[in-house]
Amino acid sequence: MRINKYLSSIGVASRREVDRLIDEKKIKVNGVLANAGMKVSEKDTIEVAGKKIEKKETKLVYYMLNKPKRVISAAKDDRGRETVVDLIKTDERIFPIGRLDLDTEGLIVLTNDGDLFNKVIHPKAEVYKEYIATVKGEIKSNAINKLASGVDLEDGITLPARVKLIKTSKNKSFLSIAIREGRNRQVRRMLKEVGHPVVDLKRVAVGRLTLGDLEVGQYRKLTKAELKYLQSI
């Protein structure tokens, strides 16, 4: 089995993270630095960042977290900042599916299931992520139509978004915006481009998964129905 798939299947990290660790020369197989395409098996001795990986049966776990602001969407941070993984009590080595920027709170899924990670983030999955945005100014229909049809950003035109105006005033507007891409700070950049910078941003849904009454900073295990839905993507 390819090394990135093998290590993700036993809960070490996502395939993408494994590839990054290989590029950084932090993975060895039988004492030799790994390369991205190499094949491994349970018979091989694998070290990640100097630690030998034990070939134990991994218990797959799945959590939903309501991420607070100022928490990093990563398994670890080289600057010592608090991460989403720090907020969940588990003995398994988990990682987040996707990211929320530092100043955005809301729904994020964490797991040690590398195959599920790849299902959800794959471009063909077309999973919509819904946000509630508070923006500056009274947003007009022309700006909403532009968001819905695609906004020309420095890295290309965005795919059409699902946009609903919740309420508006002279100073602020509140809207729901759902996108199926995962560009860096995409919602913030889209809204700034149409003249309404974000004041507050919260992700409330990923596909059919919703936050419900989960408080900021709290987490729970995914239900069987939620997990079945993600596995069906």
Side-chain angles (χ1 to χ4, degrees), residues 148-196:
S149 61
V151 180
D152 191 2
L153 302 177
E154 64 271 18
D155 51 356
I157 299 175
T158 63
L159 293 176
R162 297 172 178 171
V163 188
K164 293 180 182 178
L165 180 62
I166 299 171
K167 63 179 180 179
T168 187
S169 68
K170 290 183 179 180
N171 299 320
K172 289 181 183 179
S173 298
F174 303 83
L175 63 151
S176 161
I177 178 169
I179 61 172
R180 55 189 173 98
E181 296 177 279
R183 304 188 203 182
N184 185 42
R185 299 175 69 85
Q186 181 175 335
V187 172
R188 292 180 183 274
R189 291 192 290 136
M190 290 171 68
L191 287 161
K192 184 178 180 180
E193 183 65 26
V194 299
H196 296 277

Side-chain angles (χ1 to χ4, degrees), residues 51-68:
K51 294 183 180 180
K52 183 179 176 182
I53 300 300
E54 299 295 331
K55 303 175 185 69
K56 65 176 183 178
E57 187 69 28
T58 300
K59 176 185 176 184
L60 295 178
V61 293
Y62 309 88
Y63 298 98
M64 177 191 294
L65 169 70
N66 188 345
K67 185 190 91 68

Side-chain angles (χ1 to χ4, degrees), residues 4-231:
N4 60 358
K5 184 175 182 180
Y6 175 74
L7 290 178
S8 72
S9 72
I10 62 173
V12 172
S14 69
R15 294 187 200 183
R16 183 178 294 179
E17 178 71 6
V18 171
D19 289 338
R20 184 184 67 79
L21 290 169
I22 289 173
D23 288 342
E24 294 177 358
K25 304 186 184 304
K26 291 183 178 179
I27 298 181
K28 288 184 177 181
V29 178
N30 303 322
V32 178
L33 286 174
N35 61 70
M38 74 186 307
K39 300 286 185 70
V40 297
S41 72
E42 292 184 352
K43 296 179 181 179
D44 293 305
T45 299
I46 302 175
E47 296 174 68
V48 177
K51 294 183 180 180
K52 183 179 176 182
I53 300 300
E54 299 295 331
K55 303 175 185 69
K56 65 176 183 178
E57 187 69 28
T58 300
K59 176 185 176 184
L60 295 178
V61 293
Y62 309 88
Y63 298 98
M64 177 191 294
L65 169 70
N66 188 345
K67 185 190 91 68
K69 295 177 183 178
R70 314 308 299 172
V71 173
I72 305 294
S73 294
K76 58 183 179 180
D77 181 64
D78 55 10
R79 292 163 58 184
R81 295 171 295 181
E82 188 173 39
T83 74
V84 288
V85 169
D86 295 329
L87 300 181
I88 296 178
K89 295 180 180 179
T90 178
D91 293 330
E92 304 300 330
R93 189 179 301 180
I94 60 175
F95 42 84
I97 296 180
R99 292 176 179 269
L100 288 173
D101 68 56
L102 195 62
D103 296 315
T104 299
E105 65 181 45
L107 194 162
I108 192 164
V109 174
L110 296 101
T111 183
N112 57 348
D113 186 340
D115 289 335
L116 184 70
F117 175 93
N118 289 301
K119 275 178 172 284
V120 176
I121 67 165
H122 197 284
K124 290 184 179 179
E126 296 190 354
V127 177
Y128 277 88
K129 282 82 68 176
E130 181 186 357
Y131 298 78
I132 300 298
T134 305
V135 301
K136 291 182 179 180
E138 183 179 358
I139 194 166
K140 303 293 186 180
S141 58
N142 62 335
I144 291 175
N145 291 338
K146 191 172 182 180
L147 292 168
S149 61
V151 180
D152 191 2
L153 302 177
E154 64 271 18
D155 51 356
I157 299 175
T158 63
L159 293 176
R162 297 172 178 171
V163 188
K164 293 180 182 178
L165 180 62
I166 299 171
K167 63 179 180 179
T168 187
S169 68
K170 290 183 179 180
N171 299 320
K172 289 181 183 179
S173 298
F174 303 83
L175 63 151
S176 161
I177 178 169
I179 61 172
R180 55 189 173 98
E181 296 177 279
R183 304 188 203 182
N184 185 42
R185 299 175 69 85
Q186 181 175 335
V187 172
R188 292 180 183 274
R189 291 192 290 136
M190 290 171 68
L191 287 161
K192 184 178 180 180
E193 183 65 26
V194 299
H196 296 277
V198 168
V199 176
D200 188 67
L201 190 63
K202 181 170 187 171
R203 186 159 71 189
V204 295
V206 174
R208 299 179 195 167
L209 273 62
T210 60
L211 273 180
D213 58 1
L214 193 65
E215 297 289 336
V216 176
Q218 290 187 339
Y219 67 92
R220 64 170 176 81
K221 292 182 178 179
L222 294 188
T223 66
K224 289 182 179 179
E226 290 169 334
L227 180 55
K228 185 177 181 180
Y229 158 68
L230 290 180
Q231 291 172 333

